[in-house]
Amino acid sequence: MEPQGIPEPLDKETIIRGLGESIFSRNIILYQRINSTNVLAKELALNGAPEGTLVLAEEQTAGKGRLNRKWLSPDRENLLFTILLRPPWDADNIFLLTMILAISAIDAVKEMTGIDIMIKWPNDLYIRRNKLGGLLTEFSIKDRVVEHVILGIGLNVNWMPGEEERLHYPATSILAESGMRVSRNELLSRLLKRFEASYERALAGDTDDLHIRWNELSLVTGKDVEIISQDDVIRGKAIAIDRSGALILNNSLGEEIKILSGDVSLRFQV
Ligand code: ADP
């Protein structure tokens, strides 16, 4: 916990101390203000930056979600960061990294505050109907093999979303949910340590537990959902998320439909 009213800046040394020996302590790039941590991480990746590169920002001027949507986050309140990975995998496994990042964030927040977070397929963190965070995974592949993966996350930590913001989108934060101001440096270190441990297991081929956890944490499983794409709406009951990260639906005819996470939005009834 952090004393009320004293915002703690993000600090590389504190993060490195918290991480201990880690792939994420080798190349940390911290900006007070940047367009988007994903955009910079992608540039660094193309210029040969090593696996584990961590790009952090106190504020983003062009934070982005999927489908050209904006990610908005006030200066110095939240966590905004991107990690660069180079797993020797084929493209089918990339969704594992989104799963690992979501689960690591959920477990680190639970450990520090006791609050329960769920995953709204494919890439959002929710508490009940309110969005606590979003992930954005981008990648480059060559001959079906991964060159790099850029994993970004915006997590609302010590920000109190006002009435105005909540009119536009149902945002919440760790502070709003738990009444606790948490140290972002500590939360980040804990999250990345968890990430690294799961990533090592996934590299060794051990992914069964990940799929089980991901399905347990899924907010939409068992619910009636609408999948909205550019020219279509598909309705059905969400059954599960499969190994590739696709959502399995049962439609009104009882047919099983597989929805890839690509460019679709999901709406659901609580
Ligand atoms: P979707 O949930 O539709 O997949 P994205 O993952 O692309 O959306 O995230 C962008 C959307 O998230 C924005 O359109 C906005 O509604 C919402 N949003 C933007 N900033 C925040 C924030 N800090 N907290 C919660 N929601 C946000």
Side-chain angles (χ1 to χ4, degrees):
M1 271 253 271
E2 189 181 298
Q4 293 284 342
I6 307 174
E8 166 216 48
L10 290 171
D11 177 64
K12 261 200 218 181
E13 292 311 315
T14 312
I15 295 163
I16 290 169
R17 250 197 327 275
L19 281 171
E21 176 60 34
S22 164
I23 53 166
F24 297 117
S25 56
R26 296 181 203 147
N27 190 24
I28 302 182
I29 298 148
L30 168 61
Y31 277 82
Q32 294 305 310
R33 205 157 194 248
I34 194 181
N35 53 2
S36 145
T37 58
N38 265 37
V39 168
L40 179 72
K42 201 183 302 174
E43 282 170 23
L44 295 171
L46 294 173
N47 286 312
E51 164 149 288
T53 294
L54 166 63
V55 181
L56 274 166
E58 290 284 14
E59 192 183 8
Q60 291 183 132
T61 54
K64 54 177 185 168
R66 295 180 314 143
L67 313 169
N68 286 326
R69 293 185 188 126
K70 290 196 169 68
W71 189 258
L72 303 168
S73 177
D75 194 16
R76 280 175 295 179
E77 306 265 38
N78 298 328
L79 275 177
L80 302 165
F81 70 89
T82 299
I83 54 184
L84 162 61
L85 297 165
R86 299 183 183 280
W89 287 343
D90 72 40
D92 297 343
N93 287 320
I94 290 173
F95 197 75
L96 285 173
L97 299 173
T98 308
M99 291 188 188
I100 295 174
L101 184 57
I103 293 171
S104 305
I106 289 172
D107 289 346
V109 172
K110 174 86 178 178
E111 182 178 52
M112 288 182 77
T113 66
I115 60 180
D116 288 308
I117 303 168
M118 304 282 281
I119 300 166
K120 179 185 166 231
W121 180 90
N123 67 331
D124 290 324
L125 302 178
Y126 266 67
I127 297 181
R128 298 179 305 279
R129 282 199 77 90
N130 301 320
K131 186 149 148 184
L132 182 83
L135 282 70
L136 186 62
T137 306
E138 300 177 271
F139 52 87
S140 161
I141 48 178
K142 195 175 177 189
D143 303 328
R144 296 222 36 87
V145 175
V146 172
E147 289 188 312
H148 66 251
V149 181
I150 302 296
L151 267 182
I153 181 169
L155 191 65
N156 300 330
V157 183
N158 293 323
W159 170 49
M160 269 296 196
E163 291 292 318
E164 175 70 11
E165 281 109 359
R166 279 188 282 127
L167 276 181
H168 299 292
Y169 48 86
T172 191
S173 69
I174 296 173
L175 176 60
E177 296 292 331
S178 70
M180 292 163 84
R181 271 185 173 275
V182 301
S183 155
R184 291 175 304 152
N185 291 310
E186 186 180 345
L187 177 59
L188 176 66
S189 307
R190 287 184 191 228
L191 186 163
L192 290 176
K193 276 166 90 165
R194 287 179 174 277
F195 184 97
E196 190 168 359
S198 300
Y199 180 48
E200 276 171 10
R201 282 198 297 275
L203 286 173
D206 175 5
T207 56
D208 288 352
D209 288 351
L210 259 182
H211 289 283
I212 294 168
R213 272 302 308 286
W214 173 262
N215 273 284
E216 284 169 357
L217 291 165
S218 165
L219 184 60
V220 299
T221 305
K223 298 199 166 95
D224 291 325
V225 301
E226 279 183 351
I227 304 295
I228 300 146
S229 60
Q230 220 168 16
D231 39 32
D232 203 10
V233 177
I234 298 172
R235 295 191 177 81
K237 192 181 277 298
I239 305 301
I241 289 112
D242 80 4
R243 290 200 157 248
S244 69
L247 178 70
I248 310 295
L249 293 185
N250 250 348
N251 72 8
S252 57
L253 304 171
E255 297 160 340
E256 217 169 80
I257 303 176
K258 189 168 160 172
I259 314 273
L260 301 178
S261 64
D263 287 350
V264 297
S265 293
L266 179 150
R267 292 207 201 117
F268 67 103
Q269 311 290 329
V270 177

